[in-house]
Amino acid sequence: MLMTCASPQRFTAVVLAADRTSNDPVAQAAKVPCKALAPVGGRPMVLRVLDALAESTPIDACILIGPPSEIVEREPLLKKRLAVPGLLWLPPHATPSTSAAAAFACIPAATPVLLTTADHALLRPEMVEYFCREAQTTGCDVVAGLASYAQIVASYPGMRRTRTRFSEGDFCGCNLFAFLTPEGRAVADLWRRVENERKRPVKMLSELGWRVVLRYLLGRLSLKEALRRISQRMGVRVGVVILPFPEAAIDVDSVADWQVSQRIASGSGC
């Protein structure tokens, strides 16, 4: 009798697209009503992200949270895109974690969720496919995407990225998160609190106890130990996928990031 392997379950993607603050500097520099609409390679960032997800085999459907309805109504390209089947728009909530929770409530519990942001302007289908495929092999409840800082610097000399230093090397976050089980979704709020401090690694790790911080400062904290501690703190299995794409770690947090992303998208490098 022939044995067949079940196909990996497809994801619903959730894209956070609301500005965290009013008068976002990137939006002001680009002269657009919100950061997600800042153009990169001649196309608004949010549409670039939606394009990448739509072209990714593991993604079955997508939920876009934000921009606010009054902005959507004034943006013909975005409004037209929201009419595409398989794409749902939801209004943004007060925080990224409450927005994510609203999206999770619309998704069947057994469906894996990919969470990303609209400022992930250099996201490509091969990044999404690699991350989703590898995340589903980890046996974890929650998986985060990381990229090697050394690889980023080698590909884009002079590129400034916040990094977290482990004994195996330095890594940067990629704004890609997989919530693979209902238990994983339940800790999204704590995960976002940790992620929000990613630019201050010591404060981020203080959630795990000051012994962990001390090991980090001494250069003795391994990524494996950090994941074990995070899993214990959250009560779920937490893993990572190291992506072989340096651009996966380049999101648009500042005007400088936006300018770099435009140069990379145009093929002129960093």
Side-chain angles (χ1 to χ4, degrees):
M1 184 175 69
L2 292 175
M3 299 294 292
T4 58
C5 295
S7 299
Q9 192 170 6
R10 298 181 75 194
F11 286 70
T12 292
V14 175
V15 181
L16 302 178
D19 287 347
R20 294 192 180 194
T21 62
S22 59
N23 301 317
D24 181 89
V26 175
Q28 291 180 325
K31 297 181 171 55
V32 292
C34 72
K35 183 173 76 168
L37 295 171
V40 170
R43 190 159 174 79
M45 291 193 293
V46 63
L47 294 183
R48 290 177 63 95
V49 172
L50 294 176
D51 290 345
L53 293 169
E55 295 168 17
S56 301
T57 302
I59 305 302
D60 183 54
C62 186
I63 298 175
L64 178 67
I65 304 183
S69 58
E70 58 269 24
I71 293 177
V72 173
E73 289 299 319
R74 298 198 303 268
E75 296 295 329
L77 280 178
L78 180 56
K79 192 173 180 182
K80 180 180 179 181
R81 185 56 179 269
L82 291 174
V84 172
L87 176 58
L88 172 67
W89 174 87
L90 292 177
H93 288 239
T95 67
S97 59
T98 54
S99 291
F104 289 172
C106 300
I107 303 169
T111 301
V113 177
L114 172 68
L115 180 67
T116 190
T117 55
D119 62 0
H120 205 323
L122 302 177
L123 189 67
R124 302 194 305 270
E126 55 264 39
M127 297 178 189
V128 176
E129 291 169 2
Y130 184 94
F131 177 71
C132 290
R133 181 178 68 248
E134 296 300 312
Q136 288 182 307
T137 69
T138 63
C140 293
D141 301 295
V142 182
V143 178
L146 298 178
S148 163
Y149 179 73
Q151 187 179 16
I152 296 167
V153 172
S155 300
Y156 302 105
M159 182 74 196
R160 296 174 63 89
R161 288 285 93 187
T162 301
R163 62 190 188 271
T164 304
R165 296 172 176 172
F166 295 104
S167 58
E168 306 95 327
D170 298 357
F171 295 94
C172 301
C174 293
N175 266 1
L176 291 171
F177 305 96
F179 295 88
L180 301 171
T181 65
E183 292 78 14
R185 293 192 202 181
V187 299
D189 182 52
L190 176 58
W191 183 259
R192 288 299 303 183
R193 290 210 309 273
V194 172
E195 166 65 10
N196 285 342
E197 299 296 345
R198 69 191 186 280
K199 295 187 182 299
R200 294 180 288 182
V202 171
K203 187 170 182 181
M204 176 179 70
L205 291 169
S206 69
E207 287 267 359
L208 309 178
W210 286 103
R211 183 180 175 186
V212 174
V213 171
L214 181 60
R215 288 182 61 80
Y216 175 78
L217 293 173
L218 294 173
R220 297 177 182 172
L221 182 66
S222 69
L223 179 56
K224 183 177 180 180
E225 181 184 356
L227 290 172
R228 181 176 62 81
R229 297 271 187 171
I230 293 171
S231 296
Q232 290 175 342
R233 173 73 174 83
M234 292 185 169
V236 295
R237 298 161 296 174
V238 177
V240 297
V241 169
I242 310 299
L243 286 94
F245 310 100
E247 300 85 4
I250 302 175
D251 56 356
V252 178
D253 283 336
S254 66
V255 173
D257 291 340
W258 176 53
Q259 293 168 340
V260 167
S261 294
Q262 290 191 91
R263 290 196 291 273
I264 294 173
S266 69
S268 58
C270 187

